[in-house]
Amino acid sequence: MEAHSSLKPLVAVLVPLLASLLIMLSGKRPNIRELWTVLGSVAMFGIVFSMLPSALGSKYPEIVLFTISPGIALAFRADTAGIIFGLSASALWIVTSIFSIGYMRSLSEEKQTRYYTCFAICLSSAMGIAFAANLLTFVIFYEMLTIATYPLVIHKESPEAIQAGRKYLAYLLTGGLVLIIATALTYKYTGTLDFSPGGFLSGVVEQHNLLPLFVLFLVGLGMKAALIPFHSWLPTAMIAPTPVSALLHAVAVVKAGVFGFVRVIGFVFGPTLFHEIGAGNMLAVMASITIIASSLLAMYQNNLKRRLAYSTVVHLGYILLGVALLSPSAWVGGLVHIANHAAMKITLFFCAGAIYVKTHCENISELDGIGRQMPITMGAFALVSIGLVGMPPLNGFISKWFLGQGTLAAGEGIYLIVLLLSGLLNAGYLFPIVRRAFFAQSSKRTKFAEASILMLAPLVLTALISLFLGLVPDGIFHFYSLAGNVATSVLAGAGR
Amino acid sequence: MFQVLLDHYPYYLSTALIVIGVWGMLAKHNLMKKVIGMNIFQTAIILLFISSSVKFGATVPTFDPKLGLENTALYVNPLPHVLMLTAIVVMVATNGVAFAILLLIYRRYRTLDEEEILRRMRE
Amino acid sequence: MAQLPAIIPVSLLLSAFVAFLVGTFSRSLVYPITLLGIVTALVTAVMGLIRVLQDGAQHYYFGGWPPPLGIEYVLDHLSGFMTVLVMFIALLSVIYSRRSFLQEVPEKIVPLYSLVLLMLAGLTGIILTGDLFNLYVFLEIASLAAYAIMAIGNDKAPVAVIRYVIMGTIGACFYLLGVGFIYFATGSLNMGDVARILPGIYGSRLIVVAMTFIVIGMALKMALFPLHIWLPDVYTYSPSAVVALIAPIMTKVGAYVLIRMLVSVFLPNYLTSVLPVTLMIGWLAAVGIVAMSIMAIAQKDFRRMLAYSSVAQICYVALGIGLANPFGLIGALLHILNHAFMKGCLFQISGGIRYRAGLWQIPQFAGLGRHMRWTMGAFTVAAISMVGIPPACGFFSKWYLVLGCIDAGNWVFAVVVVASSLLNAVYFFRVLEKVYMVPSNNDSTVTAASDPPGEMLAPILVLASGIIILGVINAVIVTQILEPIVSLAF
């Protein structure tokens, strides 16, 4: 594994920032403004995609900028783990941009310039998180992400939105601050913050300091990763416009949290050390509780987006369970699920958005018979629901398969039971929606048509991508190979 | 004990004056009395300094041809005197500023009682 | 150029007198003379700092008398850093102030600017001097000028200022007492000399008392909790441009004096071993941060909120001093720099809102974001920095403070530093919500408001961009300027 100096990771972070500036300046001309968004997203995806071959070949593009604190530099490195997150976020920004244009224009929302500007800044921060080469760079962009997403959460500016924004900030800022303390402690103990596969803490830090240090990281990252008991901001934040919920809460913000766990467990602690101190069991138990409890909570939600939010919490639990186990298959399953769940969840949110735009219905109880009037939308919804339950031929099955294998390989069969049980529970809260949409009689007189093509195309695309990744897990994006790469480098020599 | 008091009486007196001054500044309600307390406080500090310059059997620190320059123990330490000249000037300037501000306050509020002024200000 | 340390305060003194004399004949010439004086001092200060970075500390002996006989002026990393900071903020504040003064107190321009120059002369004198008593003299020069400037204005300012006069004089006189005791014990008034002599007499009770008096005196001057009582009223009722000038720099110079005592006179192992003064400062600061942030949350008046916030931020600096370790001191010094920029920007914004809309109660700010775009944009940047979000500079001073707390093993302080960011977020985001989101109920003062004129807006924007720039280049500042200071002490 070598690193060669390249500007590409930096460019990937800067392109969205440049786009946000251009968006802000062309606020008066909506078409030009939307053009910048789309151009920026395509450009960013292009750059990240171009770094894929080198990541697969284990030659990582890296750039070290200036010193940001004595001894620590602002540095970016596009390694395999970062590419997984970066690739899924940037690919999905393209479709979300197109969906946003359709959504915003259909509803004639206000403050669109602010919306698109902040969106671009958020993506820039997400790239910074993905490609950060050390903990301090990670923390800097992590905090920037929190602040950049705030204007998006409170977009509607209604009293509920402002309250939701306050709760959002309270949770996420607290997490960020605890993360700062954890980072400072790590720096004090070891004198370095550079991520290295297999961790850099073993042998340097005394044993009894390690578990408290991990607890700090757990709280700091767990807020963003919506781990129970830190999850309650996520359903509340569903007050945001649907594209915001789609990308940020299904893909960027919460995925940044679990990605943080990947970095901390794989590249700071190291999985072997992680298990030696007992943190592995702790995280696996918390993840399992998250999975089960959140699935049960999801079934009680009538608001569609809130139900999807709790579903996100469940699947984040899957990813965390994967990285908590000491087994390559579990890691592969967890990492691949970062991308798979992103594709599936974003489809669901797009469907919810399309339904809201056309019918102004937010609750599941109002969705009777909608499937017959919006067949494409609900068809995509149904297809992806199968994947979320974990059935073939969708990508959800792939992740579940590897997670299941991993639980057995790590000798923790109990988690396999958790996975299987949660599959049933997933079905329990997703399939009723599909049933009502297609088979129930609508009590409404009005006929609804499908949403505009700008909204329809993205959701069909992401549904098809989910199907494609289920059939060819390593297709185009090579998520499977990337995940395998990460697992081997991180677990070098450990586990089965 | 009495001997200690007698030996170090300048310090005790200065300290007493300092305490009186500070008490005046904090406890009195009339603004003019506060300023007077401030004066007492500053004067006491000046006294303390000057009393530190005294030597037994020494005279004022101006050159006396009869005494000459070889034995400096015959002259009182001039440095604190010089420092305190500056401090007195500072004290006077502070008084000037304080009185000017008191004039401003009096013209507006027609009273110098702190409680009364604060009450009117908060309204 | 060996006279650099002396030129800075002397040029400001000279400008003060010239400005006053010229002003009695022609009022319109006062402002240019003031600007000229400040620019001269700023340029000299920057040249001095560059000199120090290349060659090391510069010493200047007034009248050619070497210490301990004469008065010595020292330009080293710490004083160079502080001087450049003070003069830069002063320049921006004076440029900002012209319109504001013309609107609020037009007939008093001449004495105002002369006193501003006098105050700056006093402040730079405090920073540059190497003589303990000379510091007292300049301290009083600066303070008296500041009292006078602050009392100009409306009816309530004099009442607030008289309290400041009383408490400030107590502070300065306590400092004088402390210096006196040092003189009694060591026989010298020169800082370097005293530092040389002190280790030999560490057990002396006279020195302990001296140090206590000096610390309490400067705590009064820098408004360390619980001696901060004069500050909120003064910052609320003085003219806004005056507060924009004084708030970023006056209390910082008080903190500077404490740091100078720590670094150059009483070395840290004295302050920690003989009498745990730093521990006490640290704990008072920790309580102060929390208490003052909570008080800030309770305020409806924007300026009062910023005043309590300033006390809390000075307590951060005191916390860094109280930790008495390298990272703590770096955090404290960096926070002096960062806070000067942040609070300078915030008070100027407050003045701008007052200038354009005549408003200073937060509930009345509803919907201003739409009308005063640039100003509120700068406010967002400053607010983000105060909360401590990177890449704004506020994050980095907190980062170093947390590192210092961990070094000292003091978890309570670390939690206080970090948790107070949340408290800051509460009161700043509350204003942001009002400004950007709550729709204006078509209040005509709000809809008629626009950004302040260029003269006032430019300094605001310079400070706001400075906040981000300082954050990004903070490592340069730390390694080049701050670490040499810290290595003097530890």
Side-chain angles (χ1 to χ4, degrees), chain C residues 444-461:
Chain C
S444 57
T445 34
V446 171
T447 39
S450 62
D451 278 316
E455 248 180 318
M456 294 171 82
L457 192 58
I460 296 178
L461 293 178

Side-chain angles (χ1 to χ4, degrees), chain A residues 74-98:
Chain A
L74 195 68
F76 297 111
R77 186 187 309 132
D79 63 353
T80 28
I83 292 274
I84 295 179
F85 181 41
L87 209 52
S88 58
S90 51
L92 291 171
W93 187 22
I94 304 180
V95 287
T96 314
S97 304
I98 301 177

Side-chain angles (χ1 to χ4, degrees), chain C residues 291-302:
Chain C
M292 291 298 106
S293 300
I294 294 178
M295 286 297 294
I297 296 176
Q299 300 305 319
K300 289 218 161 30
D301 186 322
F302 188 51

Side-chain angles (χ1 to χ4, degrees), chain A residues 211-353:
Chain A
L211 196 54
L213 181 62
F214 178 69
V215 171
L216 284 175
F217 275 113
L218 180 75
V219 174
L221 294 168
M223 293 280 181
K224 268 217 171 89
L227 195 58
I228 287 184
F230 311 121
H231 67 290
S232 98
W233 60 272
L234 190 56
T236 319
M238 290 297 109
I239 197 107
T242 308
V244 174
S245 311
L247 183 71
L248 296 176
H249 302 289
V251 174
V253 172
V254 295
K255 290 293 161 51
V258 295
F259 183 70
F261 273 103
V262 168
R263 283 288 193 210
V264 165
I265 300 177
F267 296 82
V268 174
F269 277 81
T272 352
L273 185 64
F274 187 66
H275 279 265
E276 271 171 32
I277 59 177
N281 283 327
M282 187 167 80
L283 183 60
V285 168
M286 285 182 81
S288 309
I289 295 177
T290 303
I291 293 173
I292 302 290
S294 206
S295 310
L296 293 171
L297 285 168
M299 292 202 272
Y300 283 102
Q301 301 298 320
N302 194 11
N303 183 304
L304 178 60
K305 280 169 64 179
R306 285 179 77 108
R307 186 176 285 204
L308 295 180
Y310 279 104
S311 168
T312 303
V313 177
V314 172
H315 286 266
L316 293 172
Y318 280 10
I319 302 175
L320 288 177
L321 185 61
V323 300
L325 294 170
L326 190 66
S327 141
S329 307
W331 272 76
V332 169
L335 288 166
V336 168
H337 204 54
I338 291 181
N340 290 342
H341 170 253
M344 293 190 282
K345 201 31 83 51
I346 215 172
T347 314
L348 291 183
F349 272 107
F350 283 166
C351 296

Side-chain angles (χ1 to χ4, degrees), chain C residues 82 86 123 126-127 218 249-258:
Chain C
M82 286 295 298
V86 166
L123 288 175
I126 297 174
I127 298 173
M218 296 324 294
I249 49 183
M250 234 7 233
T251 41
K252 307 301 178 305
V253 174
Y256 159 82
V257 174
L258 262 185

Side-chain angles (χ1 to χ4, degrees), chain A residues 62 110 134-135 149 175-176 328 449 455 473 480 482 492:
Chain A
E62 177 182 81
E110 303 184 342
N134 58 46
L135 254 181
T149 46
M455 287 190 276
Y480 175 68
L482 289 171

Side-chain angles (χ1 to χ4, degrees), chain A residues 344 383-384 386-387 391-398 463 466-467 469-471:
Chain A
M344 293 190 282
L383 183 64
V384 166
I386 299 178
M391 288 172 14
L394 274 115
N395 50 6
F397 169 70
I398 305 283
S466 307
L467 182 60
L469 285 176
L471 297 169

